[in-house]
Amino acid sequence: MHIVVFSGAGVSAESGLRTFRDSDGLWEQYDVMDVATPEAWEKDRELVLRFYNERRAQVIHAEPNAAHSAIRELEDHFDVSVITQNIDNLHERAGSSTVLHLHGEIMKARSSVDSSLLYDVKNGVIELDAKCEKGSQLRPHVVWFGEAVPEMESAYSIAQSADVLIVVGSSLNVYPAAGLVQFIAPRAALYIIDPKSVPVARDNAIHIKEKASTGIPMLASDLIKKYSTAGR
Ligand code: NAD
């Protein structure tokens, strides 16, 4: 059985990383238009770099929570793919082996002229004037609002082969990522784990109104009881 977990900012909320929607569009006191758009980068690179340097410092100090761990443990029983909108690395640090980042990875930098030139961020900071090997400024390896999402095609094909899709901690407001739910097969089961209502145009969606750290372990234990053949 193939389980696809589609995660958003809410899965990392209990690790101390704030969600975007819950902060009223103000993500850690910044207007996203000032820090997470190509226009912001053209206008004030120093501000954009500072914003992501601060977010990176938070990620480095955060720990995976019970939701990330329970998602990892599903791999002991099922074929599991994680597709995340998050730029943090908490799924990887919990041990998940297949993680597709739709919106990039904050622990990486890339050339602002050649997106194939990727680097690990040394010391957690991208400095103004840090250059790629071709001599252009390094930028965070994240997808900004208004930019294309290059991994979307891969995400669609993973979603199409899901027997179960678990959406956790996503308001399903940010497109095209949010459209992923429409790509699962009609026979696939769909679970939404979020304390708040999440709009989804599908009759058979099961909404578990819990925080990720309780909702994911509960659902994982149900799925294992129902479907796992490991150890039988
Ligand atoms: P969002 O902020 O739009 O929605 C977050 C959702 O999580 C909401 O529906 C909220 O009710 C829910 N939530 C809050 N606490 C929760 C908890 N403890 N357990 C389960 N659910 C909880 O997030 P989004 O849909 O991921 O889209 C926002 C964009 O901002 C994404 O592109 C994402 O890349 C980016 N972002 C990333 C991070 C991160 O990497 N950790 C943090 C903030 C924003």
Side-chain angles (χ1 to χ4, degrees), residues 13-232:
E14 292 162 86
S15 294
L17 304 178
R18 287 195 1 167
T19 65
F20 165 54
R21 208 63 54 178
D22 289 330
S23 33
D24 238 4
L26 271 187
W27 189 10
E28 302 285 357
Q29 319 307 325
Y30 293 85
D31 183 329
V32 288
M33 300 314 283
D34 293 338
V35 291
T37 61
E39 293 77 18
W41 179 244
E42 286 315 313
K43 192 172 154 210
D44 192 344
R45 291 183 173 192
E46 197 170 2
L47 176 71
V48 173
L49 289 175
R50 185 165 72 237
F51 173 75
Y52 283 100
N53 286 340
E54 288 172 3
R55 305 284 73 70
R56 197 175 301 104
Q58 285 182 339
V59 168
I60 290 168
H61 288 105
E63 295 294 335
N65 65 51
H68 298 103
S69 301
I71 291 166
R72 203 304 293 151
E73 282 161 27
L74 282 172
E75 290 187 20
D76 296 342
H77 304 269
F78 306 108
D79 176 16
V80 179
S81 309
V82 177
I83 302 173
T84 188
Q85 295 170 83
N86 294 345
I87 55 178
D88 67 52
N89 60 1
L90 297 182
H91 284 300
E92 287 90 341
R93 283 165 54 198
S96 283
S97 52
T98 311
V99 183
L100 181 72
H101 285 269
L102 288 181
H103 294 158
E105 297 174 68
I106 196 165
M107 300 310 298
K108 293 185 180 160
R110 73 164 185 255
S111 162
S112 45
V113 293
D114 180 347
S115 59
S116 70
L117 296 177
L118 272 185
Y119 307 89
D120 289 331
V121 178
K122 299 218 174 73
N123 311 321
V125 172
I126 304 178
E127 308 274 5
L128 193 61
D129 288 337
K131 302 275 196 329
C132 76
E133 64 217 53
K134 290 186 176 169
S136 72
Q137 172 70 43
L138 289 180
R139 58 166 275 183
H141 178 50
V142 299
V143 174
W144 286 323
F145 290 93
E147 289 189 317
V149 182
E151 298 292 358
M152 216 52 232
E153 290 299 321
S154 309
Y156 291 146
S157 81
I158 294 169
Q160 276 163 350
S161 72
D163 297 300
V164 174
L165 178 70
I166 303 172
V167 178
V168 55
S170 176
S171 62
L172 296 183
N173 261 304
V174 176
Y175 278 83
L180 194 70
V181 175
Q182 308 308 327
F183 280 78
I184 59 172
R187 59 169 175 78
L190 172 61
Y191 296 91
I192 311 276
I193 298 179
D194 198 301
K196 291 193 184 157
S197 296
V198 175
V200 56
R202 222 183 131 98
D203 295 339
N204 65 347
I206 299 170
H207 191 160
I208 301 171
K209 284 204 171 184
E210 293 279 344
K211 288 184 168 183
S213 67
T214 47
I216 290 278
M218 271 168 46
L219 175 59
S221 133
D222 281 1
L223 292 173
I224 290 164
K225 265 189 226 139
K226 255 195 210 161
Y227 300 112
S228 174
T229 50
R232 275 190 199 160

